[in-house]
């Protein structure tokens, strides 16, 4: 009977199934990015990961991350003028 109902009236089958659930059961479906990052942050992180995979194939991760850190520090360094 349920198989026939699934074919002929799936909405009714869903209504019956919902009616069978205990009232204290809540179903929640939500999509989250890893680390609960917001989508823009996750996109940036994915780009970094993709760049590492393309440009540092087979390299150890530690030295690759150190290279990235060094490059960022050098790029953001402020020049100190001598007096």
């Amino acid at each position: 009977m349920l198989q026939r109902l699934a074919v002929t009236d799936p909405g009714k089958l869903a209504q019956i199934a919902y009616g069978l659930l205990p009232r204290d059961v809540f179903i929640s479906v939500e999509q989250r990015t890893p680390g609960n990052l917001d989508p823009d942050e996750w996109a940036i992180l994915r780009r970094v990961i993709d760049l590492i995979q393309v440009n540092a194939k087979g390299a150890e991760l530690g030295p690759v991350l150190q290279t990235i850190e060094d490059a960022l520090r050098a790029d953001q360094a402020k020049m100190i003028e001598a007096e």
Side-chain angles (χ1 to χ4, degrees):
M1 179 66 170
L2 292 177
Q3 287 177 337
R4 187 168 19 135
L5 193 57
V7 173
T8 61
D9 193 356
K12 183 67 174 173
L13 179 63
Q15 184 180 9
I16 292 169
Y18 178 75
L20 294 174
L21 289 174
R23 295 292 170 228
D24 62 339
V25 173
F26 293 98
I27 298 173
S28 175
V29 177
E30 65 182 279
Q31 185 176 3
R32 291 187 181 198
T33 56
N36 292 327
L37 297 171
D38 70 41
D40 291 336
E41 292 171 331
W42 176 243
I44 291 168
L45 185 55
R46 274 299 327 157
R47 182 147 193 268
V48 170
I49 292 168
D50 292 342
L51 288 169
I52 291 170
Q53 289 175 335
V54 168
N55 295 297
K57 284 185 180 176
E60 289 185 38
L61 186 56
V64 170
L65 293 175
Q66 187 63 53
T67 299
I68 292 170
E69 181 180 350
D70 292 344
L72 285 170
R73 288 181 187 274
D75 182 67
Q76 297 299 312
K78 297 193 187 307
M79 180 67 83
I80 299 174
E81 303 215 9
E83 292 181 23

